[in-house]
Amino acid sequence: NLMSNEDYFRNRSRQYQWSVQGRFKKRIRFDEVVTGQEFGRPFRNAPSSRIVKKGLHLLKHKLPDTFECELFSDEPRFEHPLLAGCQHFRVDRPEDIGGIPESHFYGVGEDGDIIENTILLGDVEVPQDGLARRKYFSKNSNLAKYHFETDFVYTFDFFSNFFVPSRYRLDLTPFFSIDLIPYFNGYPLFMSMAKEKASGKYLWATEMWHKRLLNHDEPPGRMAKFFVSDSSSSLEDGDTEN
């Protein structure tokens, strides 16, 4: 049975959790299923490309090798393989889950987290720890060896420590917070998303809206203005200013 919100979030820095459990309708290779964020309009008040690229460079050691990013296009996006993104993952046989009520999740630990279990992948090289598994599946050579099969039940667990849905802000430290509303041009974030890379069809997609997105013309805050590009001279060749 799922924990109450109060019990799950007590003494944790997590801001939300989103889990999905189910079966695939067709066989599909691991590297063909991605997650991330997509926006149907260009960003507003965007930081200069140099600042963004510098930030991505500093985060390179924390990002999957398969991370793809187009932040300065007319339809910004970033994505990476689903198995390199979800914090917890498990594979089960349907007969082991039979009789579980719809309000319950199979494979939930006492702490409310999904218990990692990749035994049914049939490869001892796949780590049984979530962090190590994400690192293992950050490489396309490892992803291409496995398929999501139609006769297994898969569980994916996502959570965030920094994004605060109630305020639509990134709380990076107790003293540094970034309001995201002025940048997204009225477009919502995905709480969770998975799609087939080749066709672009969503397997699931849950948008996270905030009423302030409807008034997205509000200007960025004082700290954000420091990073905003105010002239095309701050854009590198090949970038566009919006």
Side-chain angles (χ1 to χ4, degrees):
N1 200 357
L2 300 181
M3 299 175 66
S4 67
N5 288 339
E6 182 179 356
D7 289 339
Y8 177 82
F9 290 105
R10 183 181 293 117
N11 298 324
R12 283 173 161 172
S13 60
R14 297 179 190 178
Q15 301 295 331
Y16 75 85
Q17 180 199 30
W18 197 98
S19 303
V20 60
Q21 186 169 85
R23 297 170 67 172
F24 284 80
K25 294 183 178 180
K26 70 175 183 178
R27 191 171 189 254
I28 183 170
R29 210 166 63 187
F30 277 13
D31 60 332
E32 286 298 319
V33 181
V34 297
T35 188
Q37 298 289 339
E38 300 173 338
F39 302 88
R41 292 185 286 270
F43 291 143
R44 299 175 66 252
N45 305 304
S48 74
S49 62
R50 290 185 178 88
I51 290 176
V52 171
K53 290 176 181 179
K54 181 65 175 178
L56 291 174
H57 178 74
L58 294 174
L59 291 172
K60 186 176 181 180
H61 69 287
K62 293 186 177 182
L63 297 173
D65 295 348
T66 47
F67 181 79
E68 297 182 9
C69 179
E70 296 179 0
L71 294 183
F72 290 93
S73 69
D74 289 338
E75 296 184 351
R77 69 175 182 93
F78 61 85
E79 64 185 31
H80 50 80
L82 177 62
L83 265 296
C86 63
Q87 279 86 351
H88 301 110
F89 168 68
R90 65 178 292 119
V91 190
D92 294 287
R93 294 184 177 90
E95 55 266 31
D96 296 331
I97 302 181
I100 299 294
E102 291 186 0
S103 59
H104 288 46
F105 254 71
Y106 185 81
V108 180
E110 293 183 357
D111 59 357
D113 287 337
I114 298 297
I115 301 171
E116 189 89 11
N117 188 342
T118 59
I119 293 175
L120 289 180
L121 295 182
D123 191 342
V124 295
E125 291 186 2
V126 180
Q128 289 292 308
D129 168 76
L131 184 61
R133 181 258 308 154
R134 293 200 301 274
K135 184 176 181 180
Y136 178 81
F137 284 123
S138 70
K139 301 182 182 300
N140 269 324
S141 57
N142 291 332
L143 287 161
K145 295 189 293 184
Y146 307 93
H147 288 78
F148 292 112
E149 308 287 355
T150 58
D151 51 354
F152 288 145
V153 175
Y154 296 89
T155 307
F156 307 89
D157 186 34
F158 304 81
F159 60 80
S160 172
N161 291 331
F162 303 109
F163 175 65
V164 184
S166 61
R167 299 191 297 145
Y168 237 75
R169 300 181 71 95
L170 283 177
D171 282 352
L172 302 178
T173 74
F175 309 103
F176 184 61
S177 176
I178 300 177
D179 184 5
L180 299 178
I181 297 293
Y183 301 106
F184 289 167
N185 206 0
Y187 228 77
L189 285 169
F190 285 123
M191 177 177 282
S192 178
M193 177 272 279
K195 73 173 185 178
E196 188 176 3
K197 189 172 183 178
S199 67
K201 293 182 178 179
Y202 293 115
L203 304 179
W204 68 77
T206 305
E207 293 178 339
M208 187 185 306
W209 282 85
H210 193 286
K211 63 181 180 180
R212 291 178 56 229
L213 284 170
L214 304 178
N215 186 29
H216 58 271
D217 287 334
E218 59 185 85
R222 293 181 179 178
M223 182 61 71
K225 289 179 180 179
F226 177 77
F227 298 105
V228 171
S229 171
D230 57 3
S231 70
S232 59
S233 63
S234 65
L235 300 174
E236 297 184 25
D237 292 340
D239 294 325
T240 59
E241 185 181 20
N242 301 302

